Amino acid sequence: MEFTGILGLIKLFGIFFYVGLFAIGGGLVAATFMQQILVDKYAVITTEKFYSMLAISESTPGPIGINLATYCGNEIYGPIGGVVTTIGEVLPSLIIIMLVSRFFFNFQKKPAVQAAFSGLRPATGGMILVAMVSVFMVSLLNIPLFKESAAILDLFRWKSLIFYAICLLVVLKFKKIHPVFIVLAGAAFGVVFL
C-alpha cells in the first residue's frame, strides 16, 4: 500500500482510527494492532524499526499508543503524518467517552453491560501478553537463527539477556528505585554494548 498524497493521509487516518477504535486495553494493545497492520500486512515499517519505535514510545512521557501513533505517522509521512495519525488514534476514544459519559450511568447495572466488561478483561489481557511476548522475543532472541542447524547458545542475545536479568533483579529487590533509572540504564546499555 502506498502512502503518498492526500489519499495516503486518508489511509493513514483510517488505519489509526481503526486502531484507536478497537484497541481496548491501552497502548500495548494498540501497539499489537499497529504491528499487525503496518509491519505484517502492509510492510511499510520493518520489524526491527517498529520495536525500536515502540521502545522510544515507552520511554517518552505520555501514553504509549499515542506516542507510537505519532512516531509511525511521522516515519511514514513526515510531520503532517504524525499529526494525522495522532488525531486518528485519539478521535475514537473521545467519541466513545462522550457517549459513555452521557449514557453509561443509565446502563451500568444491566447484566449485559457487566458481562461485556467481564469478557473484555481476559481479551485485553491476552492482547497485552502478545505484545509483551513479541517485544521479549525481538529483544532477547536471535529470531533468524531459529533453524535446525543453529546451536542452542546462538539463539539468545546474551548481552541483552544478562542485562534483562540484572534489571529484573534490581526492580524486584529495590522496589523504591524509580523506573526512570531503569530506562536510562537501558538506553546507556544499548549505546555502549549493542
Side-chain angles (χ1 to χ4, degrees), residues 103-115 117:
F103 300 110
F104 182 68
F105 292 111
N106 299 333
F107 296 105
Q108 70 180 350
K109 301 286 185 199
K110 299 223 182 251
V113 173
Q114 291 178 349
F117 281 113

Side-chain angles (χ1 to χ4, degrees), residues 9-86:
L9 281 175
I10 292 169
K11 289 176 189 174
L12 272 179
F13 178 82
I15 287 169
F16 283 88
F17 189 88
Y18 167 81
V19 169
L21 186 61
F22 291 106
I24 298 168
L28 290 177
V29 175
T32 303
F33 279 136
M34 289 179 214
Q35 179 194 6
Q36 289 172 346
I37 296 169
L38 299 174
V39 177
D40 300 339
K41 187 173 181 181
Y42 296 122
V44 292
I45 298 174
T46 65
T47 303
E48 286 288 330
K49 180 76 171 175
F50 181 79
Y51 284 114
S52 296
M53 292 164 59
L54 180 60
I56 291 169
S57 298
E58 288 177 331
S59 303
T60 54
I64 296 167
I66 296 170
N67 290 348
L68 186 57
T70 306
Y71 198 169
C72 287
N74 191 57
E75 186 69 25
I76 295 168
Y77 207 92
I80 191 76
V83 171
V84 167
T85 55
T86 302

Side-chain angles (χ1 to χ4, degrees), residues 1 16 43-44 50 56 62-63 65 75 84 96 101 124 127-128 131-132 142 152 172 175-176 179-180 185-186 191:
M1 175 182 269
F16 283 88
V44 292
F50 181 79
I56 291 169
E75 186 69 25
V84 167
I96 290 169
S101 67
T124 300
M127 293 293 289
I128 291 170
M132 181 191 77
N142 283 322
I152 192 82
L172 292 174
K175 296 186 191 264
K176 292 185 179 182
V180 167
V191 167

Side-chain angles (χ1 to χ4, degrees), residues 115-135:
F117 281 113
S118 294
L120 285 173
R121 287 185 201 108
T124 300
M127 293 293 289
I128 291 170
L129 182 64
V130 166
M132 181 191 77
V133 168
S134 297
V135 170

